[in-house]
Structures are given as C-alpha cells and as structure tokens.
Amino acid sequence: DYAIDNLFNESKYYLYIVTPYFLAGENRLKSIIDAKKRGCMVIILIHRNALNEIRTIDELKRLKDIGCRIFIHSHLHSKIYLNEQTAITGSANLLKGSFDNSLEMGVESSNVDHLRQIHSTIIDYFDGDSIEEFNPMDMKMGYCIKTKQNMNYNTTYPIKYDVYKASEDKTTGKYCHSCGKESGTNLSKPLCQECS
C-alpha cells in the first residue's frame, strides 16, 4: 500500500498503472493528478469489467480530462505499477478493498534489467485487437439486474462486481439491465421482453 503511494509520488517522467480493477480514492487520485501536473506521462490500463463501477468511470473521466491516457484490455489480469525508478508487481488491484480486506502480495524492484523487462511486457499488452482507448462518450449506462443500481451497460456482465461476489445466487436477477423495470432476468437473458 505505502510502496505504491511512494511510487506514484516519486514519478518524474512516466507512470504506468496496470490493474484490472481501478477505484483509486481521493488520496491516490490526487497523487496521480500531481504526477501528471509534474509533467509525467501517465498511462492506465484496466479490464473492461472495471467499467461496471460508476465511481471508476467518474475517476477515469477526471484523469482523462487532465491528459492521462487510459486503455481497456479485455483479457487483463496483471497488476503492475511502474515508474522510471521502481516497479511493483503482485496481486493487488488499485482498490481500497485489496489493501484493507484481502491477503495480497507484491514484489518491489529497482533493478534496471527488471524495469526494462516489465516495461517491455506492458508495451506488448498494447499489441493486438484486445485493446481500446477509454472514451467516456461511449459509455452507456444500464442497471444491475440484482439491485437496480446504475452501472455500465454490458450484457455479458449485467451484475455489479461487488454484488456478484457477495451473492449466493450468481445467475438470477429482478430487473432489466437496459431499462431497470422489474423483470425475471438472469445472466443469459438480462433484458426484459420490451428491451430484447
């Protein structure tokens, strides 16, 4: 936790944040914004499922507005935090819950060869068709089929991640993912008859 904060605060030229799930919170968001204000190139790579969280979208919009580059990779599982002096790799997503509630591990390195290899790995992630740039204008909002909470419209994942993890019944819903009306929905059929 502290090592990642230090890495953000000590970034001078570039800062890569590679994490499937992103919900930085105000303090870390400020550290990223400060890095950008210092002239750092800030590149963030997340998984598409992170966009199911409205607060994540709001944070990413703020960062995009100040010039951070944000990309989405549909197969991302890596967690990497990298600047010109330090790399941290491990299991922790950039989520408060990862640091407060989960057993996580990470390895910090300042070895120049390690930094080059990790940087090269990140660059390789940008090859291929599985990556796209985050565009908040493309975000369509929908509803969680279990709770009717606002979320990113995604018929493949129509349940908010935290609700899905906490639920014993992971398939059935009560609301249409598109319009939010009460309807007998499920993971394979998340839309009501009118929206289908």
Side-chain angles (χ1 to χ4, degrees), residues 56-117:
T56 294
I57 294 171
D58 291 342
E59 287 187 357
L60 294 174
K61 283 180 184 176
R62 286 174 62 187
L63 294 173
K64 187 168 180 70
D65 286 347
I66 63 162
C68 297
R69 303 279 314 273
I70 302 163
F71 297 90
I72 303 161
H73 197 295
S74 54
H75 305 295
L76 183 68
H77 190 67
S78 302
K79 291 87 175 176
I80 304 169
Y81 308 95
L82 174 73
N83 68 16
E84 62 280 351
Q85 297 176 350
T86 307
I88 298 172
T89 59
S91 62
N93 286 294
L94 196 63
L95 296 169
K96 186 172 177 19
S98 285
F99 301 107
D100 293 349
N101 304 324
S102 300
L103 294 174
E104 305 282 2
M105 66 83 58
V107 177
E108 183 176 10
S109 177
S110 296
N111 178 289
V112 174
D113 290 332
H114 292 166
L115 297 181
R116 283 189 189 127
Q117 289 173 350

Side-chain angles (χ1 to χ4, degrees), residues 160-171:
K160 288 188 76 164
Y161 180 71
D162 57 334
V163 173
Y164 180 82
K165 283 190 72 165
S167 178
E168 288 183 24
D169 173 8
K170 302 204 182 289
T171 60

Side-chain angles (χ1 to χ4, degrees), residues 3-77:
I4 290 172
D5 286 342
N6 288 338
L7 188 148
F8 289 2
N9 292 324
E10 293 171 0
S11 299
K12 293 182 175 69
Y13 302 106
Y14 60 83
L15 172 60
Y16 286 92
I17 300 169
V18 178
T19 176
Y21 295 98
F22 183 101
L23 191 56
E26 280 306 313
N27 289 337
R28 281 217 174 88
L29 213 54
K30 183 181 180 320
S31 295
I32 297 167
I33 291 167
D34 288 347
K36 184 64 184 160
K37 287 180 180 176
R38 286 193 303 273
C40 273
M41 174 185 70
V42 177
I43 295 180
I44 300 168
L45 182 60
I46 61 167
H47 191 283
R48 171 165 301 290
N49 292 353
L51 300 176
N52 287 344
E53 176 59 58
I54 299 294
R55 295 175 300 167
T56 294
I57 294 171
D58 291 342
E59 287 187 357
L60 294 174
K61 283 180 184 176
R62 286 174 62 187
L63 294 173
K64 187 168 180 70
D65 286 347
I66 63 162
C68 297
R69 303 279 314 273
I70 302 163
F71 297 90
I72 303 161
H73 197 295
S74 54
H75 305 295
L76 183 68
H77 190 67

Side-chain angles (χ1 to χ4, degrees), residues 114-173:
H114 292 166
L115 297 181
R116 283 189 189 127
Q117 289 173 350
I118 292 168
H119 185 264
S120 177
T121 298
I122 293 171
I123 298 304
D124 287 345
Y125 289 167
F126 287 86
D127 288 339
D129 296 334
S130 297
I131 194 159
E132 61 185 279
E133 193 153 2
F134 169 71
N135 182 353
M137 302 307 288
D138 291 342
M139 297 285 101
K140 178 182 175 189
M141 300 313 297
Y143 299 90
C144 174
I145 65 171
K146 285 192 167 293
T147 65
K148 199 179 174 181
Q149 294 173 300
N150 284 331
M151 64 179 288
N152 185 40
Y153 182 82
N154 183 341
T155 55
T156 306
Y157 302 100
I159 301 173
K160 288 188 76 164
Y161 180 71
D162 57 334
V163 173
Y164 180 82
K165 283 190 72 165
S167 178
E168 288 183 24
D169 173 8
K170 302 204 182 289
T171 60
T172 60

